[in-house]
Amino acid sequence: MMKTSTGENVVTLYSILGVDILASQEVIRHSYRKLARLYHPDRHQGCEDAKKKFQEIVAAFEVLSDEERRQQYDLDLLELLDVEEYLQRFQGLILTVCGLGLGMTTREEPMHTSEGLSGLQTKRWLLTAA
């Protein structure tokens, strides 16, 4: 669960499936299958809560399993969370960390720099840092 800039809790499609925003398609599919089996209406005859949870899981998987829909969802999520305000507040710290090489796996290979990541990847990385 993430928080908006006003402090409100936001239930995301990622939290419904219990995965990280950087999760691979394989991890998303595995989590979906596990949760779908657990909450499938056939296993919970007459239980409306299980049926509702199952529908949420299916809807989340439909979006996150399609790359284009997932990218659009991520961009919409960024707007909701007001990441731009977050970035401005911590811009000095982020620049300092990158300048000191703290985002590097080895001395020669940068791990998280703006050069090697697309705009969406950078925003996803910053979301996980939030």
Side-chain angles (χ1 to χ4, degrees), residues 110-124:
M111 185 174 86
H112 293 294
T113 65
S114 58
E115 296 169 0
L117 299 175
S118 71
L120 181 60
Q121 289 172 321
T122 302
K123 288 180 179 179
R124 280 186 177 171

Side-chain angles (χ1 to χ4, degrees), residues 67-78:
E67 275 302 314
E68 288 181 26
R69 290 175 72 189
R70 182 179 180 182
Q71 287 180 357
Q72 185 59 49
Y73 175 77
D74 288 347
L75 291 174
D76 293 343
L77 185 62
L78 288 172

Side-chain angles (χ1 to χ4, degrees), residues 6 10 23 26 29 40 55 71 77 85 87 94 96 113 122:
T6 59
V10 177
E26 183 179 327
R29 186 174 45 255
H40 197 280
Q55 290 170 341
Q71 287 180 357
L77 185 62
E85 178 186 327
L87 290 176
I94 293 169
T96 302
T113 65
T122 302

